[in-house]
């Protein structure tokens, strides 16, 4: 009997999702059962952590919860590890599992088409430097592009007329000396509030921040782990796992406050009041109206304040909630008629999630010959099965698919990559050519999901827009309604 051939797996994305998925496949199938290739747009692995070069870039999930449960690290220096330490952790995993030769760099995904006759995906890539396209054939296609892969820069009139420097926060220009500069930070999401306290004390710098909406900002009390703690984590059996479980439990308990029942509502009120009290105590009174929200907590992502609110008390830092109406050659103009002349504009305006952050879908064609994007649009936004599978596209998995994010990024990443690897191992063991979720199961699951979402604060009418939702229809497409 001829030996069974290896399953050819194409992973699109070489960030932490792609790395984690490659590790799980290696664990589940070894090298003799699967041929895994990772296609990455940049020239090195790391994804969002490779690109996040702004001052103060760090995790907003405690690092021992953010890392893979199968690759715990007793030597992390602090509770909220910084960008360099996080990136080094993931690169060590690449080296440990000898994944370096699995990468093909500087190529971007163009499209894929499922062939029912050959039971394979024909995938088209483009070489970033030359623009040349090429095709590969794979038995399984995995989208590991992550939720934060396409920066959003607002289409503000006059943006191209600005004579100074401008960039998105995720594409930080590290060659520019910020001393003595007037800087506009547009946005008050995670990157915007991380960078300000880390540059506010530079000599001669002036910062004005433009915010669009209020939010809940929890205190981010960082601390370093002592040498003794690290030794305990390393040598005392189960110590690090128990510590991680404690963090996990605290996070999952907080997720309970998303519900609409009496207990959940009371818990949310208690947590909300604590956060608002902290915000009022920490920032200047003049910014209370602009920054304290009136919507229920958790219907938008709660951010962590590592010194931003306190930095608003500094004489060289100011904030305005008046909408930007246009960019002038020398700065920004707002709806209240004020002109702000600046040297640099930083667009800390987040990422597009509903179209590209919940899995490859443009030019992804399934067994019905229809583009996945079109299928999603017909249903008012992205949908799938258990956060990993898409409708009508066999042998296609998404590490962070529609409504995948439960509790936090780290837990979801570890859970979903293992789930996908087990499915592919099942295909190999049972000699299956393809698997796809039945339409009736897909519909039943999404009806259940919708009912659960409706019972959470995520669906609150007071919430308005957020990256959790499809910007056109308002359908919730990113988070799951449950914790871990």
């Amino acid at each position: 009997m001829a030996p069974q051939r290896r399953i050819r797996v194409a992973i699109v994305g070489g960030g932490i999702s792609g790395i984690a998925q490659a590790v799980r496949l290696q664990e589940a199938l070894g090298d003799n059962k699967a041929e895994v290739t990772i296609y990455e747009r940049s020239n090195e692995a790391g994804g969002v952590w490779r690109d996040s070069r702004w001052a103060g870039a760090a995790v907003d999930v405690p690092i021992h919860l953010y890392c893979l449960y199968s690759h715990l690290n007793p030597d992390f220096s602090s509770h909220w590890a910084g960008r360099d330490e996080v990136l080094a952790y993931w690169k060590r995993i690449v080296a440990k599992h000898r994944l370096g030769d699995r990468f093909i760099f500087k190529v971007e995904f163009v499209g894929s088409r499922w062939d029912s006759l050959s039971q394979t995906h024909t995938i088209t890539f483009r070489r970033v430097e030359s623009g040349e396209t090429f095709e590969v054939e794979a038995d399984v296609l995995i989208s590991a592009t992550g939720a934060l892969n396409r920066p959003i820069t607002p289409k503000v009139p006059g943006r191209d007329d600005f004579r100074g420097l401008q960039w998105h926060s995720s594409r930080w220009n590290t060659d520019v000396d910020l001393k003595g500069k007037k800087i506009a930070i547009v946005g008050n999401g995670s990157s915007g509030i991380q960078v300000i306290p880390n540059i506010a004390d530079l000599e001669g710098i002036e910062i004005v921040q433009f915010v669009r909406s209020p939010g809940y900002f929890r205190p981010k009390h960082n601390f370093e782990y002592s040498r003794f703690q690290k030794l305990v984590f390393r040598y005392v059996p189960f110590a690090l796992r128990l510590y991680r479980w404690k963090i996990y439990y605290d996070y999952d308990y907080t997720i309970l406050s998303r519900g609409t029942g009496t207990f959940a509502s009371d818990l949310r009120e208690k947590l909300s009041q604590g956060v608002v009290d902290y915000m009022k105590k920490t920032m200047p009174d003049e910014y209370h109206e602009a920054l304290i929200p009136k919507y229920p907590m958790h219907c938008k992502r709660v951010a962590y304040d590592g010194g931003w609110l306190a930095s608003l008390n500094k004489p060289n830092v100011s904030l305005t909630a008046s909408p930007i109406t246009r960019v002038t050659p020398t700065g920004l103009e707002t709806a209240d008629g004020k002109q702000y002349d600046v040297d640099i504009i930083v667009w800390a305006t987040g990422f597009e999630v509903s179209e590209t952050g919940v899995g490859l879908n443009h030019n992804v064609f399934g067994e019905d010959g229809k583009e996945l994007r079109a299928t999603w649009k017909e249903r008012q936004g992205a949908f799938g099965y258990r956060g990993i599978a898409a409708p009508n596209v066999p042998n296609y998995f998404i590490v962070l698919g529609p409504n995948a994010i439960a509790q936090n990024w780290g837990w979801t990443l570890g859970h979903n990559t293992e789930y996908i690897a087990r499915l592919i191992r099942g295909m190999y063991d049972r000699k299956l050519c393809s698997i796809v979720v039945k339409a009736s199961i897909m519909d039943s699951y999404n009806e259940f999901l919708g009912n659960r979402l409706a019972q959470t604060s995520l669906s609150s009418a007071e919430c308005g827009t957020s990256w959790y939702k499809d910007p056109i229809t308002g359908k919730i497409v990113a988070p799951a309604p449950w914790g871990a």
Side-chain angles (χ1 to χ4, degrees):
M1 181 181 294
Q4 187 175 348
R5 73 172 177 83
R6 295 189 295 172
I7 294 181
R8 298 165 298 174
V9 181
I11 299 175
V12 180
I16 65 175
S17 296
I19 295 168
Q21 187 63 75
V23 168
R24 292 287 178 257
L25 289 169
Q26 190 180 82
E27 292 170 344
L29 293 113
D31 293 331
N32 61 331
K33 297 182 179 67
E35 178 185 336
V36 178
T37 307
I38 308 169
Y39 297 87
E40 166 56 39
R41 182 172 50 192
S42 186
N43 61 354
E44 63 175 313
V48 68
W49 291 108
R50 176 197 59 232
D51 298 334
S52 299
R53 299 178 182 272
W54 65 83
V59 293
D60 51 10
V61 173
I63 188 60
H64 283 295
L65 188 57
Y66 189 82
C67 65
L68 289 179
Y69 62 81
S70 57
H71 291 68
L72 301 186
N73 174 28
D75 297 320
F76 282 123
S77 64
S78 62
H79 190 62
W80 306 92
R83 174 259 182 191
D84 291 348
E85 197 169 7
V86 178
L87 183 59
Y89 165 81
W90 286 97
K91 286 191 172 183
R92 284 197 302 272
I93 292 177
V94 171
K96 177 181 178 180
H97 289 268
R98 297 183 177 89
L99 298 177
D101 60 354
R102 302 292 181 88
F103 279 84
I104 296 179
F105 293 109
K106 296 185 179 181
V107 295
E108 58 185 358
F109 177 85
V110 175
S112 68
R113 187 174 294 275
W114 174 255
D115 187 325
S116 296
L117 185 62
S118 65
Q119 296 282 282
T120 59
H121 291 279
T122 300
I123 311 167
T124 304
F125 291 97
R126 179 185 297 112
R127 301 190 190 279
V128 172
E129 293 180 336
S130 67
E132 173 194 2
T133 60
F134 64 96
E135 291 184 347
V136 299
E137 193 174 81
D139 303 301
V140 174
L141 170 63
I142 299 177
S143 173
T145 51
L148 310 179
N149 67 76
R150 194 172 86 180
I152 293 176
T153 304
K155 296 179 181 178
V156 183
R159 198 180 74 200
D160 294 336
D161 299 330
F162 182 60
R163 292 198 291 262
L165 298 173
Q166 58 177 313
W167 59 76
H168 192 276
S169 57
S170 68
R171 302 294 184 266
W172 196 273
N173 189 338
T174 57
D175 295 329
V176 177
D177 184 359
L178 302 181
K179 293 178 182 178
K181 300 290 194 303
K182 293 181 178 179
I183 301 177
I185 304 288
V186 182
N188 58 327
S190 293
S191 60
I193 69 173
Q194 281 186 358
V195 68
I196 289 176
N198 286 281
I199 65 173
D201 292 330
L202 292 176
E203 181 183 349
I205 196 171
E206 293 182 35
I207 303 169
V208 57
Q209 185 176 22
F210 298 80
V211 302
R212 186 181 66 174
S213 58
Y216 289 96
F217 301 93
R218 285 184 179 133
K220 186 179 185 180
H221 301 304
N222 201 7
F223 58 86
E224 292 191 356
Y225 293 110
S226 68
R227 182 171 180 272
F228 175 75
Q229 286 174 306
K230 294 176 186 177
L231 288 172
V232 170
F233 288 159
R234 178 175 292 277
Y235 294 112
V236 176
F238 305 111
L240 183 50
R241 293 200 177 276
L242 287 171
Y243 178 70
R244 187 177 189 270
W245 182 88
K246 172 62 167 58
I247 301 172
Y248 171 97
Y249 172 81
D250 290 342
Y251 257 68
D252 221 34
Y253 181 75
T254 302
I255 295 296
L256 293 176
S257 66
R258 280 182 177 176
T260 55
T262 302
F263 171 81
S265 297
D266 290 347
L267 177 59
R268 183 168 60 251
E269 179 63 28
K270 178 183 177 181
L271 294 172
S272 301
Q273 192 58 54
V275 173
V276 170
D277 289 346
Y278 163 77
M279 292 173 62
K280 287 182 176 179
K281 178 180 68 176
T282 309
M283 67 178 167
D285 293 347
E286 62 186 292
Y287 299 141
H288 287 189
E289 183 65 27
L291 294 179
I292 294 176
K294 296 180 174 60
Y295 57 79
M297 191 173 179
H298 292 307
C299 71
K300 297 185 181 183
R301 191 165 190 247
V302 177
Y304 282 85
D305 171 39
W308 166 61
L309 292 175
S311 71
L312 296 176
N313 292 285
K314 296 179 182 293
N316 62 327
V317 180
S318 61
L319 178 146
T320 178
S322 184
I324 298 170
T325 54
R326 71 185 183 99
V327 180
T328 70
T330 58
L332 297 166
E333 190 174 282
T334 51
D336 57 9
K338 292 183 179 180
Q339 168 73 31
Y340 297 85
D341 289 336
V342 296
D343 301 305
I344 298 169
I345 301 173
V346 177
W347 301 97
T349 43
F351 297 83
E352 198 297 309
V353 174
S354 66
E355 281 205 22
T356 64
V358 288
L360 297 169
N361 59 90
H362 290 275
N363 294 324
V364 174
F365 293 89
E367 60 184 353
D368 57 358
K370 185 184 294 185
E371 184 190 37
L372 178 57
R373 185 66 198 162
T375 300
W376 281 355
K377 281 188 175 182
E378 290 174 358
R379 294 274 288 268
Q380 309 302 309
F383 68 99
Y385 183 73
R386 296 187 177 274
I388 64 158
N392 304 322
V393 189
N395 293 8
Y396 174 51
F397 304 104
I398 309 170
V399 174
L400 294 174
N403 302 108
I405 302 170
Q407 195 202 60
N408 68 78
W409 302 94
W411 183 88
T412 304
L413 191 68
H415 175 270
N416 285 9
T417 52
E418 181 175 8
Y419 191 2
I420 292 168
R422 289 171 62 189
L423 288 171
I424 298 173
R425 176 58 194 253
M427 289 175 58
Y428 182 89
D429 289 345
R430 292 164 177 78
K431 296 182 174 58
L432 301 177
C433 293
S434 62
I435 58 173
V436 67
V437 179
K438 293 180 179 179
S440 59
I441 301 299
M442 181 72 73
D443 291 342
S444 175
Y445 172 77
N446 278 277
E447 181 181 1
F448 166 72
L449 178 72
N451 291 335
R452 287 291 298 271
L453 284 168
Q455 298 171 31
T456 69
S457 59
L458 293 165
S459 297
S460 171
E462 305 166 72
C463 227
T465 60
S466 79
W467 63 263
Y468 283 175
K469 300 177 179 179
D470 185 291
I472 305 299
T473 67
K475 180 181 179 180
I476 300 169
V477 296
W482 40 71

